[in-house]
Amino acid sequence: MAGHSKFKNIMHRKGAQDKKRSAMFSKLSREITVAAKMGMPDPDMNPRLRLAVNAAKAQSMPKDNIQRAIDKASMAGGEDYEEVRYEGYGPGGVALIVEALTDNRNRTATNVRTAFSKNGGNLGSEGSVQHGFERKGLIEYPASAGDEETVLEAAIEAGADDVESSDDGHTIWTASDDLHAVATALEAVLGEAENVKLAWKPNITVAMDEAGATTLLKLVDTLDDDDDVQTVWGNYEISDEIMEKLA
């Protein structure tokens, strides 16, 4: 995770996720199944399913796995997942939003509450931290997609709201309702994105010192390790220097 790329900081370390590929595929499959069950099983007719399939492809998930997850939505007696969101505070007053898909609310709530309490955090009530974030569309491209000017031009033309470019790549923000349309327009110009999803973008970020970052990342790791947790969003920022020490 690069400190000068705010969002990669907020999203936590991708390297840690790469080591847990099978767990990641399981979470991607769950999102695909839920998206297919909530709408049409055709990605072209179901924007949420298309986003889920694109996210899976970006992580090199095999086509057979993707199709199996779509097919599971129409199977009788399959798992019935529901979306749940938890909000709370981590070390240093960092605000965290935890998105989960679960077939057992009690289990998930207990696991999330335990993760917070054992790692310097406090689980709050729904809406306790959400006011500090905006619901936005997020599209990420590698640096190889083009230089800053090329990507900015393409993003403006596609109707995006904002672009953040660094040596690591390009982060493009859109209105949540425009994500599908903007991603489709960008794909025609820049190719397939690394990441396309709905995100919680913090209005203000909190800079972490080494001690706070150590405990916070342990909390985020614990939450990430839970099968029911899909994504952990936060308003924290950690410098390159501290991340290198903790790597």
Side-chain angles (χ1 to χ4, degrees):
M1 183 170 69
H4 51 262
S5 175
K6 285 184 184 177
F7 189 71
K8 287 200 170 76
N9 229 319
I10 291 159
M11 272 297 290
H12 192 42
R13 299 159 294 174
K14 287 190 174 179
Q17 291 183 339
D18 289 341
K19 293 172 189 170
K20 299 178 275 190
R21 205 157 195 74
S22 63
M24 180 172 61
F25 281 178
S26 172
K27 294 185 184 201
L28 290 166
S29 294
R30 192 177 289 197
E31 169 60 21
I32 290 169
T33 300
V34 169
K37 190 173 277 193
M38 289 177 70
M40 297 282 288
D42 179 358
D44 291 331
M45 304 293 290
N46 181 338
R48 176 168 174 173
L49 179 57
R50 178 174 165 78
L51 293 179
V53 168
N54 284 351
K57 285 179 178 175
Q59 297 298 334
S60 304
M61 187 170 168
K63 284 183 181 177
D64 288 350
N65 293 36
I66 293 172
Q67 191 57 50
R68 264 200 307 275
I70 293 174
D71 294 342
K72 196 185 282 188
S74 57
M75 287 168 57
E79 300 100 328
D80 195 13
Y81 296 114
E82 60 177 318
E83 294 176 281
V84 191
R85 186 174 70 245
Y86 302 95
E87 301 177 35
Y89 291 94
V94 164
L96 296 172
I97 294 177
V98 181
E99 292 180 313
L101 289 173
T102 181
D103 57 357
N104 186 326
R105 269 178 175 259
N106 290 339
R107 178 193 65 224
T108 309
T110 299
N111 290 349
V112 170
R113 187 175 292 107
T114 301
F116 270 86
S117 63
K118 285 189 174 179
N119 295 284
N122 290 291
L123 188 61
S125 58
E126 190 175 331
S128 57
V129 305
Q130 185 189 324
H131 56 83
F133 294 78
E134 278 183 277
R135 191 61 161 161
K136 303 284 282 185
L138 168 77
I139 305 165
E140 287 187 303
Y141 275 95
S144 57
D147 59 31
E148 188 173 344
E149 196 173 325
T150 301
V151 174
L152 179 62
E153 212 169 277
I156 291 170
E157 189 66 30
D161 288 349
D162 192 21
V163 181
E164 297 167 10
S165 293
S166 73
D167 293 341
D168 296 320
H170 310 279
T171 300
I172 299 160
W173 296 100
T174 77
S176 56
D177 291 344
D178 296 340
L179 178 58
H180 179 58
V182 174
T184 301
L186 284 172
E187 191 172 324
V189 181
L190 302 175
E192 200 166 296
E194 267 187 336
N195 197 9
V196 179
K197 69 194 302 181
L198 287 169
W200 290 101
K201 185 183 183 186
N203 298 323
I204 299 171
T205 55
V206 177
M208 301 298 293
D209 60 20
E210 188 175 342
T214 302
T215 311
L216 174 65
L217 293 180
K218 192 179 174 194
L219 168 56
V220 175
D221 275 338
T222 303
L223 291 166
D224 269 338
D225 285 342
D226 191 288
D227 289 342
D228 297 335
V229 172
Q230 292 294 102
T231 321
V232 182
W233 308 93
N235 67 345
Y236 58 90
E237 197 163 350
I238 304 169
S239 70
D240 283 342
E241 293 74 22
I242 291 175
M243 281 309 302
E244 282 168 16
K245 286 181 184 178
L246 301 179

